[in-house]
Amino acid sequence: MNDLSPRNSQPGGIAALNARSREILRMVVDAYVETGAPVGSRTLSRKMGLELSPATIRNVMADLEDLGLLMAPHTSAGRLPTDQGLRLYVHGLLEGGNLTQDERDRIDGQCAASGRSVSQVLERASSLLSDLSRCAGLVVAPKQDETLKHIEFVNLGPGRALVVLVTESGQVENRIIDVPVGLPPSSLVEASNFLSSRLRGRSLSEAQREIDKELNAHRQELDALTRRLIEAGLADWTDGVQGGALIVRGQAQLLTDIQAIEDLERVRHLFAALEGKEALLRLLSLTETAAGVQIFIGADNELFGLAGCSLVIAPYSNSRQQVVGAIGVVGPTRIDYARIIPMVDYTAKVIGRLLG
């Protein structure tokens, strides 16, 4: 269903745990997802129907704590899973859940394109994911990567040049870039001709891959200044098309399960992170090189490391099987992974079919 290969888990991963340790870790995480509260050995022994004494369970929990998979918030309290424990659970113990037919129907209905623009569909999809998951839903809208017609470098004086890019639709965009002082006019002409002949009829991301190959093949034919100019011009433009607009819906959902002042502080950090959309778009760009659903838990990423949050995200593709955006949910680390992972996966596939 999705890519749940382990990342950043301790040496040995799930294989380093025996069956008893795995089962107790799974039960602790399940209880944490359900209640958000620490779970003790007596609770596990009684509630879970284990044929183990509380003392035996305490010993196993202590071993899991030594491995960094569980933690005790207070001396006499039960245990909670750490971010590392949650990652091991998600990547090694979690059994894939299934959406109900009602959930599938709701997603299909909300994503139906009849009479709606793509942006309206994406906004509805983001809101629906928020409602179904009780987290914040987010969508990275398709990148604007139009087919190109012409590119030209214009000298603006010592150390500066204007890059003029014209798309097939007639849109004209300009960027000012730094160039080597003393760059001769011939280098500007050569760079313009080299790029225009290779950009025409391609999107910028498609053209960049081709031009990278061409630069290596023609390294001896292009002088060093021209190569630097081409690379500088491409880098400046491609940096601007790595991610589309970010749509976030349902932030208020994150305030419905506040249990302590530290929870409120966590949500405050998350709101601040969501407002820093550029950082989030950079994080979501990681989905472009990965297949299926990606899960980032706590310190898995610099954006949510201080927020105690998890991000479940999946890319969606256009008719040419090119990744053009991503959709997912963000919430506390105790989100219902078994339910949310297939939900995000299914919604991404529905969006992809719509764009196709």
Side-chain angles (χ1 to χ4, degrees), residues 66-94:
D66 290 340
L67 290 171
L69 303 177
L70 298 182
M71 60 172 287
H74 308 289
T75 304
S76 59
R79 301 302 199 280
L80 293 173
T82 62
D83 287 349
Q84 188 176 352
L86 285 169
R87 284 193 288 272
L88 191 64
Y89 166 84
V90 168
H91 298 303
L93 296 174
L94 181 64

PDB file of all heavy atoms in Angstrom, residues 66-94:
ATOM      1  N   ASP A  66      15.471   1.314  28.178  1.00  0.00           N
ATOM      2  CA  ASP A  66      16.929   1.358  27.977  1.00  0.00           C
ATOM      3  C   ASP A  66      17.293   1.474  26.497  1.00  0.00           C
ATOM      4  O   ASP A  66      18.325   2.070  26.148  1.00  0.00           O
ATOM      5  CB  ASP A  66      17.588   0.106  28.565  1.00  0.00           C
ATOM      6  CG  ASP A  66      17.551   0.085  30.092  1.00  0.00           C
ATOM      7  OD1 ASP A  66      17.382   1.178  30.685  1.00  0.00           O
ATOM      8  OD2 ASP A  66      17.681  -1.008  30.678  1.00  0.00           O
ATOM      9  N   LEU A  67      16.447   0.910  25.632  1.00  0.00           N
ATOM     10  CA  LEU A  67      16.679   0.981  24.189  1.00  0.00           C
ATOM     11  C   LEU A  67      16.231   2.307  23.593  1.00  0.00           C
ATOM     12  O   LEU A  67      16.409   2.546  22.390  1.00  0.00           O
ATOM     13  CB  LEU A  67      15.945  -0.167  23.480  1.00  0.00           C
ATOM     14  CG  LEU A  67      16.503  -1.575  23.709  1.00  0.00           C
ATOM     15  CD1 LEU A  67      15.547  -2.614  23.123  1.00  0.00           C
ATOM     16  CD2 LEU A  67      17.877  -1.707  23.071  1.00  0.00           C
ATOM     17  N   GLY A  68      15.625   3.170  24.416  1.00  0.00           N
ATOM     18  CA  GLY A  68      15.162   4.461  23.924  1.00  0.00           C
ATOM     19  C   GLY A  68      13.806   4.413  23.255  1.00  0.00           C
ATOM     20  O   GLY A  68      13.422   5.364  22.575  1.00  0.00           O
ATOM     21  N   LEU A  69      13.054   3.316  23.449  1.00  0.00           N
ATOM     22  CA  LEU A  69      11.765   3.162  22.790  1.00  0.00           C
ATOM     23  C   LEU A  69      10.600   3.612  23.675  1.00  0.00           C
ATOM     24  O   LEU A  69       9.531   3.952  23.155  1.00  0.00           O
ATOM     25  CB  LEU A  69      11.557   1.700  22.377  1.00  0.00           C
ATOM     26  CG  LEU A  69      12.645   1.127  21.461  1.00  0.00           C
ATOM     27  CD1 LEU A  69      12.381  -0.341  21.172  1.00  0.00           C
ATOM     28  CD2 LEU A  69      12.728   1.929  20.168  1.00  0.00           C
ATOM     29  N   LEU A  70      10.778   3.571  24.988  1.00  0.00           N
ATOM     30  CA  LEU A  70       9.767   4.034  25.936  1.00  0.00           C
ATOM     31  C   LEU A  70      10.394   5.057  26.873  1.00  0.00           C
ATOM     32  O   LEU A  70      11.618   5.133  27.017  1.00  0.00           O
ATOM     33  CB  LEU A  70       9.202   2.870  26.762  1.00  0.00           C
ATOM     34  CG  LEU A  70       8.467   1.746  26.021  1.00  0.00           C
ATOM     35  CD1 LEU A  70       7.953   0.715  27.023  1.00  0.00           C
ATOM     36  CD2 LEU A  70       7.329   2.286  25.167  1.00  0.00           C
ATOM     37  N   MET A  71       9.529   5.834  27.513  1.00  0.00           N
ATOM     38  CA  MET A  71       9.995   6.801  28.498  1.00  0.00           C
ATOM     39  C   MET A  71       8.998   6.871  29.636  1.00  0.00           C
ATOM     40  O   MET A  71       7.813   6.545  29.477  1.00  0.00           O
ATOM     41  CB  MET A  71      10.145   8.191  27.871  1.00  0.00           C
ATOM     42  CG  MET A  71       8.850   8.748  27.299  1.00  0.00           C
ATOM     43  SD  MET A  71       8.968  10.471  26.764  1.00  0.00           S
ATOM     44  CE  MET A  71       9.021  11.299  28.341  1.00  0.00           C
ATOM     45  N   ALA A  72       9.467   7.262  30.811  1.00  0.00           N
ATOM     46  CA  ALA A  72       8.608   7.447  31.974  1.00  0.00           C
ATOM     47  C   ALA A  72       8.522   8.938  32.262  1.00  0.00           C
ATOM     48  O   ALA A  72       9.518   9.544  32.665  1.00  0.00           O
ATOM     49  CB  ALA A  72       9.167   6.704  33.187  1.00  0.00           C
ATOM     50  N   PRO A  73       7.367   9.582  32.049  1.00  0.00           N
ATOM     51  CA  PRO A  73       7.264  11.018  32.278  1.00  0.00           C
ATOM     52  C   PRO A  73       7.464  11.399  33.740  1.00  0.00           C
ATOM     53  O   PRO A  73       7.901  12.506  34.039  1.00  0.00           O
ATOM     54  CB  PRO A  73       5.856  11.358  31.787  1.00  0.00           C
ATOM     55  CG  PRO A  73       5.107  10.066  31.808  1.00  0.00           C
ATOM     56  CD  PRO A  73       6.112   9.000  31.542  1.00  0.00           C
ATOM     57  N   HIS A  74       7.128  10.482  34.653  1.00  0.00           N
ATOM     58  CA  HIS A  74       7.335  10.699  36.078  1.00  0.00           C
ATOM     59  C   HIS A  74       7.886   9.410  36.688  1.00  0.00           C
ATOM     60  O   HIS A  74       7.712   8.325  36.127  1.00  0.00           O
ATOM     61  CB  HIS A  74       6.037  11.104  36.778  1.00  0.00           C
ATOM     62  CG  HIS A  74       5.347  12.253  36.118  1.00  0.00           C
ATOM     63  ND1 HIS A  74       5.830  13.541  36.155  1.00  0.00           N
ATOM     64  CD2 HIS A  74       4.218  12.297  35.381  1.00  0.00           C
ATOM     65  CE1 HIS A  74       5.020  14.342  35.480  1.00  0.00           C
ATOM     66  NE2 HIS A  74       4.036  13.607  34.999  1.00  0.00           N
ATOM     67  N   THR A  75       8.502   9.529  37.841  1.00  0.00           N
ATOM     68  CA  THR A  75       9.156   8.373  38.468  1.00  0.00           C
ATOM     69  C   THR A  75       8.200   7.211  38.679  1.00  0.00           C
ATOM     70  O   THR A  75       8.521   6.055  38.398  1.00  0.00           O
ATOM     71  CB  THR A  75       9.785   8.775  39.814  1.00  0.00           C
ATOM     72  OG1 THR A  75      10.686   9.853  39.586  1.00  0.00           O
ATOM     73  CG2 THR A  75      10.531   7.604  40.424  1.00  0.00           C
ATOM     74  N   SER A  76       7.004   7.509  39.171  1.00  0.00           N
ATOM     75  CA  SER A  76       6.068   6.439  39.508  1.00  0.00           C
ATOM     76  C   SER A  76       5.020   6.204  38.432  1.00  0.00           C
ATOM     77  O   SER A  76       4.091   5.432  38.631  1.00  0.00           O
ATOM     78  CB  SER A  76       5.358   6.774  40.828  1.00  0.00           C
ATOM     79  OG  SER A  76       4.653   8.008  40.705  1.00  0.00           O
ATOM     80  N   ALA A  77       5.161   6.901  37.291  1.00  0.00           N
ATOM     81  CA  ALA A  77       4.139   6.787  36.253  1.00  0.00           C
ATOM     82  C   ALA A  77       4.380   5.580  35.374  1.00  0.00           C
ATOM     83  O   ALA A  77       5.405   4.902  35.458  1.00  0.00           O
ATOM     84  CB  ALA A  77       4.136   8.055  35.401  1.00  0.00           C
ATOM     85  N   GLY A  78       3.434   5.331  34.479  1.00  0.00           N
ATOM     86  CA  GLY A  78       3.623   4.297  33.473  1.00  0.00           C
ATOM     87  C   GLY A  78       4.540   4.812  32.384  1.00  0.00           C
ATOM     88  O   GLY A  78       5.248   5.807  32.546  1.00  0.00           O
ATOM     89  N   ARG A  79       4.493   4.146  31.242  1.00  0.00           N
ATOM     90  CA  ARG A  79       5.399   4.484  30.157  1.00  0.00           C
ATOM     91  C   ARG A  79       4.639   5.065  28.966  1.00  0.00           C
ATOM     92  O   ARG A  79       3.482   4.734  28.704  1.00  0.00           O
ATOM     93  CB  ARG A  79       6.180   3.255  29.688  1.00  0.00           C
ATOM     94  CG  ARG A  79       7.034   2.567  30.727  1.00  0.00           C
ATOM     95  CD  ARG A  79       8.076   3.477  31.343  1.00  0.00           C
ATOM     96  NE  ARG A  79       9.156   2.753  32.002  1.00  0.00           N
ATOM     97  CZ  ARG A  79       9.089   2.232  33.214  1.00  0.00           C
ATOM     98  NH1 ARG A  79       7.966   2.332  33.909  1.00  0.00           N
ATOM     99  NH2 ARG A  79      10.133   1.598  33.740  1.00  0.00           N
ATOM    100  N   LEU A  80       5.367   5.917  28.238  1.00  0.00           N
ATOM    101  CA  LEU A  80       4.917   6.453  26.961  1.00  0.00           C
ATOM    102  C   LEU A  80       5.943   6.079  25.896  1.00  0.00           C
ATOM    103  O   LEU A  80       7.126   5.946  26.199  1.00  0.00           O
ATOM    104  CB  LEU A  80       4.794   7.981  27.012  1.00  0.00           C
ATOM    105  CG  LEU A  80       3.719   8.598  27.896  1.00  0.00           C
ATOM    106  CD1 LEU A  80       3.895  10.116  27.927  1.00  0.00           C
ATOM    107  CD2 LEU A  80       2.330   8.231  27.389  1.00  0.00           C
ATOM    108  N   PRO A  81       5.510   5.939  24.638  1.00  0.00           N
ATOM    109  CA  PRO A  81       6.499   5.694  23.587  1.00  0.00           C
ATOM    110  C   PRO A  81       7.276   6.968  23.268  1.00  0.00           C
ATOM    111  O   PRO A  81       6.727   8.068  23.302  1.00  0.00           O
ATOM    112  CB  PRO A  81       5.642   5.263  22.388  1.00  0.00           C
ATOM    113  CG  PRO A  81       4.314   5.914  22.624  1.00  0.00           C
ATOM    114  CD  PRO A  81       4.126   5.928  24.115  1.00  0.00           C
ATOM    115  N   THR A  82       8.547   6.840  22.983  1.00  0.00           N
ATOM    116  CA  THR A  82       9.342   7.961  22.491  1.00  0.00           C
ATOM    117  C   THR A  82       9.100   8.105  20.986  1.00  0.00           C
ATOM    118  O   THR A  82       8.455   7.247  20.366  1.00  0.00           O
ATOM    119  CB  THR A  82      10.835   7.721  22.730  1.00  0.00           C
ATOM    120  OG1 THR A  82      11.227   6.541  21.996  1.00  0.00           O
ATOM    121  CG2 THR A  82      11.130   7.517  24.210  1.00  0.00           C
ATOM    122  N   ASP A  83       9.633   9.176  20.393  1.00  0.00           N
ATOM    123  CA  ASP A  83       9.540   9.310  18.935  1.00  0.00           C
ATOM    124  C   ASP A  83      10.185   8.111  18.255  1.00  0.00           C
ATOM    125  O   ASP A  83       9.686   7.594  17.252  1.00  0.00           O
ATOM    126  CB  ASP A  83      10.242  10.590  18.474  1.00  0.00           C
ATOM    127  CG  ASP A  83       9.460  11.842  18.831  1.00  0.00           C
ATOM    128  OD1 ASP A  83       8.298  11.713  19.249  1.00  0.00           O
ATOM    129  OD2 ASP A  83      10.022  12.946  18.700  1.00  0.00           O
ATOM    130  N   GLN A  84      11.300   7.656  18.813  1.00  0.00           N
ATOM    131  CA  GLN A  84      11.994   6.494  18.246  1.00  0.00           C
ATOM    132  C   GLN A  84      11.124   5.253  18.346  1.00  0.00           C
ATOM    133  O   GLN A  84      11.066   4.436  17.423  1.00  0.00           O
ATOM    134  CB  GLN A  84      13.315   6.287  18.983  1.00  0.00           C
ATOM    135  CG  GLN A  84      14.219   5.241  18.361  1.00  0.00           C
ATOM    136  CD  GLN A  84      15.564   5.147  19.075  1.00  0.00           C
ATOM    137  OE1 GLN A  84      15.869   5.949  19.937  1.00  0.00           O
ATOM    138  NE2 GLN A  84      16.351   4.160  18.699  1.00  0.00           N
ATOM    139  N   GLY A  85      10.431   5.096  19.472  1.00  0.00           N
ATOM    140  CA  GLY A  85       9.530   3.964  19.634  1.00  0.00           C
ATOM    141  C   GLY A  85       8.361   4.016  18.672  1.00  0.00           C
ATOM    142  O   GLY A  85       7.945   2.988  18.117  1.00  0.00           O
ATOM    143  N   LEU A  86       7.838   5.223  18.456  1.00  0.00           N
ATOM    144  CA  LEU A  86       6.740   5.386  17.504  1.00  0.00           C
ATOM    145  C   LEU A  86       7.184   5.048  16.089  1.00  0.00           C
ATOM    146  O   LEU A  86       6.445   4.412  15.328  1.00  0.00           O
ATOM    147  CB  LEU A  86       6.203   6.815  17.561  1.00  0.00           C
ATOM    148  CG  LEU A  86       5.335   7.162  18.772  1.00  0.00           C
ATOM    149  CD1 LEU A  86       5.093   8.669  18.839  1.00  0.00           C
ATOM    150  CD2 LEU A  86       4.005   6.413  18.720  1.00  0.00           C
ATOM    151  N   ARG A  87       8.404   5.486  15.735  1.00  0.00           N
ATOM    152  CA  ARG A  87       8.898   5.172  14.396  1.00  0.00           C
ATOM    153  C   ARG A  87       9.058   3.668  14.196  1.00  0.00           C
ATOM    154  O   ARG A  87       8.714   3.119  13.148  1.00  0.00           O
ATOM    155  CB  ARG A  87      10.225   5.889  14.138  1.00  0.00           C
ATOM    156  CG  ARG A  87      10.077   7.374  13.847  1.00  0.00           C
ATOM    157  CD  ARG A  87      11.360   7.961  13.295  1.00  0.00           C
ATOM    158  NE  ARG A  87      12.397   8.077  14.318  1.00  0.00           N
ATOM    159  CZ  ARG A  87      12.544   9.119  15.117  1.00  0.00           C
ATOM    160  NH1 ARG A  87      11.697  10.134  15.043  1.00  0.00           N
ATOM    161  NH2 ARG A  87      13.510   9.162  16.006  1.00  0.00           N
ATOM    162  N   LEU A  88       9.581   2.996  15.218  1.00  0.00           N
ATOM    163  CA  LEU A  88       9.752   1.548  15.117  1.00  0.00           C
ATOM    164  C   LEU A  88       8.390   0.857  15.000  1.00  0.00           C
ATOM    165  O   LEU A  88       8.224  -0.093  14.230  1.00  0.00           O
ATOM    166  CB  LEU A  88      10.505   1.032  16.344  1.00  0.00           C
ATOM    167  CG  LEU A  88      10.991  -0.422  16.263  1.00  0.00           C
ATOM    168  CD1 LEU A  88      12.015  -0.582  15.152  1.00  0.00           C
ATOM    169  CD2 LEU A  88      11.583  -0.864  17.584  1.00  0.00           C
ATOM    170  N   TYR A  89       7.426   1.354  15.739  1.00  0.00           N
ATOM    171  CA  TYR A  89       6.062   0.810  15.679  1.00  0.00           C
ATOM    172  C   TYR A  89       5.471   0.992  14.276  1.00  0.00           C
ATOM    173  O   TYR A  89       4.950   0.049  13.674  1.00  0.00           O
ATOM    174  CB  TYR A  89       5.205   1.521  16.721  1.00  0.00           C
ATOM    175  CG  TYR A  89       3.713   1.324  16.578  1.00  0.00           C
ATOM    176  CD1 TYR A  89       3.079   0.201  17.107  1.00  0.00           C
ATOM    177  CD2 TYR A  89       2.932   2.272  15.925  1.00  0.00           C
ATOM    178  CE1 TYR A  89       1.706   0.031  16.982  1.00  0.00           C
ATOM    179  CE2 TYR A  89       1.568   2.114  15.797  1.00  0.00           C
ATOM    180  CZ  TYR A  89       0.956   0.987  16.322  1.00  0.00           C
ATOM    181  OH  TYR A  89      -0.406   0.833  16.188  1.00  0.00           O
ATOM    182  N   VAL A  90       5.574   2.212  13.753  1.00  0.00           N
ATOM    183  CA  VAL A  90       4.976   2.510  12.453  1.00  0.00           C
ATOM    184  C   VAL A  90       5.640   1.714  11.341  1.00  0.00           C
ATOM    185  O   VAL A  90       4.980   1.174  10.449  1.00  0.00           O
ATOM    186  CB  VAL A  90       5.056   4.026  12.158  1.00  0.00           C
ATOM    187  CG1 VAL A  90       4.713   4.316  10.698  1.00  0.00           C
ATOM    188  CG2 VAL A  90       4.115   4.788  13.077  1.00  0.00           C
ATOM    189  N   HIS A  91       6.965   1.609  11.381  1.00  0.00           N
ATOM    190  CA  HIS A  91       7.689   0.970  10.285  1.00  0.00           C
ATOM    191  C   HIS A  91       7.853  -0.534  10.450  1.00  0.00           C
ATOM    192  O   HIS A  91       8.247  -1.206   9.495  1.00  0.00           O
ATOM    193  CB  HIS A  91       9.069   1.610  10.135  1.00  0.00           C
ATOM    194  CG  HIS A  91       9.013   3.067   9.786  1.00  0.00           C
ATOM    195  ND1 HIS A  91       8.354   3.545   8.684  1.00  0.00           N
ATOM    196  CD2 HIS A  91       9.524   4.151  10.414  1.00  0.00           C
ATOM    197  CE1 HIS A  91       8.468   4.861   8.632  1.00  0.00           C
ATOM    198  NE2 HIS A  91       9.165   5.248   9.666  1.00  0.00           N
ATOM    199  N   GLY A  92       7.566  -1.063  11.654  1.00  0.00           N
ATOM    200  CA  GLY A  92       7.794  -2.481  11.849  1.00  0.00           C
ATOM    201  C   GLY A  92       6.658  -3.280  12.441  1.00  0.00           C
ATOM    202  O   GLY A  92       6.615  -4.497  12.276  1.00  0.00           O
ATOM    203  N   LEU A  93       5.724  -2.622  13.155  1.00  0.00           N
ATOM    204  CA  LEU A  93       4.672  -3.359  13.852  1.00  0.00           C
ATOM    205  C   LEU A  93       3.267  -3.025  13.378  1.00  0.00           C
ATOM    206  O   LEU A  93       2.339  -3.796  13.604  1.00  0.00           O
ATOM    207  CB  LEU A  93       4.749  -3.077  15.370  1.00  0.00           C
ATOM    208  CG  LEU A  93       6.011  -3.553  16.085  1.00  0.00           C
ATOM    209  CD1 LEU A  93       6.000  -3.070  17.535  1.00  0.00           C
ATOM    210  CD2 LEU A  93       6.112  -5.068  16.041  1.00  0.00           C
ATOM    211  N   LEU A  94       3.118  -1.873  12.755  1.00  0.00           N
ATOM    212  CA  LEU A  94       1.785  -1.419  12.376  1.00  0.00           C
ATOM    213  C   LEU A  94       1.204  -2.286  11.268  1.00  0.00           C
ATOM    214  O   LEU A  94       1.849  -2.525  10.241  1.00  0.00           O
ATOM    215  CB  LEU A  94       1.849   0.038  11.906  1.00  0.00           C
ATOM    216  CG  LEU A  94       0.523   0.676  11.497  1.00  0.00           C
ATOM    217  CD1 LEU A  94      -0.422   0.765  12.686  1.00  0.00           C
ATOM    218  CD2 LEU A  94       0.757   2.060  10.901  1.00  0.00           C
TER     219      LEU A  94
END
